[in-house]
Amino acid sequence: GVTDPVSLADYRALGGFDGLEKAIHRTPQQLVDTVKASGLRGRGGAAFPTGIKWQTVLDAKGAQKYIVCNADEGDSGTFADRLV
């Protein structure tokens, strides 16, 4: 009840884009280093370190790269993450 969950104006007013603003002024390696230092891990059973995945993509040869993300983290038959 604090904000409208589909309002970008509300999101921005609460600092929702602050991280993005910082990120666009960093190099790709600085971004990967930040993710590595954070200890962020995947939510799958292996909890693989996200920074290692990002480093692998950054180090891969090629000018254009693609990341495929399974963003369906909801439980079957529920709408827990429907706004994501």
Side-chain angles (χ1 to χ4, degrees):
V2 176
T3 68
D4 175 357
V6 295
S7 168
L8 289 177
D10 282 3
Y11 185 70
R12 183 181 298 277
L14 293 172
F17 287 109
D18 291 354
L20 177 60
E21 291 289 337
K22 291 177 186 175
I24 61 175
H25 298 292
R26 294 185 180 174
T27 67
Q29 187 61 62
Q30 287 173 322
L31 291 172
V32 170
D33 290 344
T34 299
V35 172
K36 283 181 179 177
S38 77
L40 181 66
R41 293 181 168 268
R43 295 178 45 116
F48 195 82
T50 303
I52 292 175
K53 288 181 183 182
W54 285 27
Q55 188 70 61
T56 302
V57 172
L58 180 62
D59 293 343
K61 294 183 182 192
Q64 190 169 18
K65 301 170 187 181
Y66 299 89
I67 297 175
V68 179
C69 173
N70 174 5
D72 182 15
E73 296 292 340
D75 294 326
S76 300
T78 69
F79 294 101
D81 295 326
R82 66 187 174 278
L83 293 176
V84 175

